[in-house]
């Protein structure tokens, strides 16, 4: 039997030891991340310069996990136009949903993706490593990527908040996030309290309804509600709610100056919609006044004076709407007179 050459045997043993040590190192990193994740209420791990070095830059590639990082700055939370607080909450929802949907250790996606955040004051070096110079900013780091090679989540991926973030993750990593599990609007105790209150008040409500003495029998309530629905419809309030638009912005050139009207068709501030809605509501209320109230006045001169005043105010309001639309979008609105008037 021929003797086994010593040099190849040494190389083989060294390679096996290296692979074993590498495997143990990777499993140790995953275990540490799992431990840090378990301590977080939402499952988002707070990174600092040391964490970035240990789990990303110094860890041997390919790493057995993906990392999604939300870059945050507490000092900028007061700037409502950035929506940092809302986006951070949605980021936490995606993290908790991924963890819950893949909690089974036998799941192929278990512990394959970790959600982290970096606060500017805690890790300015981390911001520099990833080249982050504006917020909001989210980065996805693959198993074989360095911070500079990581993928940035574009602004469009924030459009539908948690759902959009989930789609971005699934498209880039091929990992299934699963359904977003949002907390219920009311807790169990709040629901029970509401049911108890309803049961207590039901007899009194039924008695009021039978006697016709409820607010629903008051015409002024219906009138106020109709005006509110009209204003809500024409002021773009639903757009503001869905898009979470701020009422105003701070001027970049002069932080002490506020911008209430944004010139450009790409964005509409809340104040703009309310101003236009107010002008529309004036015209609507004047029209209702002319057709429902003024016709009951017997004095013809009073009718004529009120009619002229109403037409003047309505013309002024519509002219303002047309002017603001032209200023914002650049589109002009031209009147077309009957051909017989030419």
């Amino acid at each position: 039997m021929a003797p086994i050459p010593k040099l190849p045997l040494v190389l083989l043993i060294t390679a096996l030891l290296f692979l074993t040590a590498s495997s143990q190192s990777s499993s140790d990193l995953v275990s540490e991340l799992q431990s840090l994740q378990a301590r977080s209420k939402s499952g988002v791990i707070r990174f600092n310069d040391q964490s970035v070095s240990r789990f990303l830059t110094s860890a041997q590639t390919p790493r057995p996990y993906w990392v999604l990082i939300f870059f945050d700055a507490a000092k900028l939370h007061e700037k409502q136009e950035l929506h940092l607080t809302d986006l951070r909450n949605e980021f936490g929802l995606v993290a908790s949903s991924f963890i819950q949907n893949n909690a089974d250790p036998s799941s192929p996606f278990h512990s394959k993706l970790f959600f982290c955040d970096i606060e500017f004051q805690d890790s300015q070096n981390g911001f520099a490593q990833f080249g982050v110079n504006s917020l909001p900013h989210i980065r996805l780091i693959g198993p074989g990527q360095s911070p500079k090679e990581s993928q940035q989540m574009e602004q469009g991926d924030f459009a539908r908040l948690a759902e959009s973030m989930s789609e971005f993750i699934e498209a880039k990593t091929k990992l299934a996030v699963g359904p977003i599990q949002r907390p219920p609007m009311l807790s169990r105790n709040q629901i029970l309290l509401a049911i108890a209150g309803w049961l207590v008040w039901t007899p009194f409500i039924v008695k009021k309804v039978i006697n016709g003495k409820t607010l629903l029998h008051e015409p002024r309530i219906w009138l106020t509600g109709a005006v509110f629905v009209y204003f809500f419809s024409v002021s773009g309030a639903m757009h503001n709610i869905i898009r979470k638009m701020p009422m105003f912005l701070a001027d970049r050139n002069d932080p002490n100056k506020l911008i209430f009207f944004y010139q450009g068709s790409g964005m509409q501030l809340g104040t703009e919609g309310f101003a236009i809605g107010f002008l529309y509501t004036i015209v609507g209320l004047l029209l209702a006044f002319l057709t429902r109230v003024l016709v009951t006045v017997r004095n013809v001169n009073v009718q004529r004076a009120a009619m002229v005043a109403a037409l003047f105010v309505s013309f002024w309001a519509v002219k303002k709407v047309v002017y603001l639309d032209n200023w914002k979008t650049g589109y002009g609105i031209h009147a077309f007179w009957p051909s017989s008037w030419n």
Side-chain angles (χ1 to χ4, degrees), residues 155-205:
Q155 295 288 339
D157 296 314
F158 302 153
R160 291 185 296 110
L161 303 176
E163 285 72 17
S164 294
M165 296 180 191
S166 173
E167 291 175 1
F168 172 84
I169 293 170
E170 294 179 351
K172 300 298 183 181
T173 67
K174 308 304 179 185
L175 302 177
V177 175
I180 302 299
Q181 301 181 16
R182 296 183 178 275
M185 294 182 62
L186 298 176
S187 65
R188 180 175 177 274
N189 293 336
Q190 289 174 325
I191 294 175
L192 293 176
L193 183 63
I195 293 174
W198 173 256
L199 293 176
V200 171
W201 282 99
T202 296
F204 299 97
I205 295 174

Side-chain angles (χ1 to χ4, degrees), residues 10 27 77 80 104 115 144-145 169 221 224 282 299 318:
V10 171
S27 62
H77 284 185
Q80 297 297 325
D104 189 351
F115 295 79
Q145 292 178 329
I169 293 170
I221 297 296
T224 304
I282 288 178
N299 191 312
V318 173

Side-chain angles (χ1 to χ4, degrees), residues 96-116:
S96 60
S97 299
F98 177 84
I99 295 170
Q100 293 179 35
N101 295 331
N102 299 282
D104 189 351
S106 62
S107 171
F109 309 128
H110 179 71
S111 296
K112 293 296 183 181
L113 172 64
F114 292 95
F115 295 79
C116 311

Side-chain angles (χ1 to χ4, degrees), residues 149-286:
E149 298 169 339
S150 58
Q151 304 174 69
Q152 179 182 352
M153 185 182 295
E154 301 297 336
Q155 295 288 339
D157 296 314
F158 302 153
R160 291 185 296 110
L161 303 176
E163 285 72 17
S164 294
M165 296 180 191
S166 173
E167 291 175 1
F168 172 84
I169 293 170
E170 294 179 351
K172 300 298 183 181
T173 67
K174 308 304 179 185
L175 302 177
V177 175
I180 302 299
Q181 301 181 16
R182 296 183 178 275
M185 294 182 62
L186 298 176
S187 65
R188 180 175 177 274
N189 293 336
Q190 289 174 325
I191 294 175
L192 293 176
L193 183 63
I195 293 174
W198 173 256
L199 293 176
V200 171
W201 282 99
T202 296
F204 299 97
I205 295 174
V206 172
K207 182 179 179 180
K208 290 286 186 180
V209 171
I210 294 174
N211 295 333
K213 295 181 179 180
T214 66
L215 292 176
L216 297 178
H217 293 85
E218 176 57 52
R220 295 178 181 177
I221 297 296
W222 288 99
L223 174 61
T224 304
V227 173
F228 172 77
V229 170
Y230 179 81
F231 177 80
F232 189 87
S233 302
V234 300
S235 66
M238 184 58 69
H239 169 270
N240 297 338
I241 294 173
I242 294 175
R243 296 290 183 179
K244 297 184 178 180
M245 298 303 298
M247 293 297 294
F248 52 83
L249 295 175
D251 193 338
R252 292 183 178 180
N253 299 324
D254 184 5
N256 296 323
K257 182 181 178 182
L258 300 178
I259 299 176
F260 295 95
F261 289 82
Y262 181 85
Q263 189 171 15
S265 57
M267 182 174 65
Q268 174 181 302
L269 298 175
T271 306
E272 296 180 49
F274 288 153
I276 299 299
F278 176 72
L279 293 174
Y280 277 133
T281 303
I282 288 178
V283 177
L285 290 175
L286 286 175

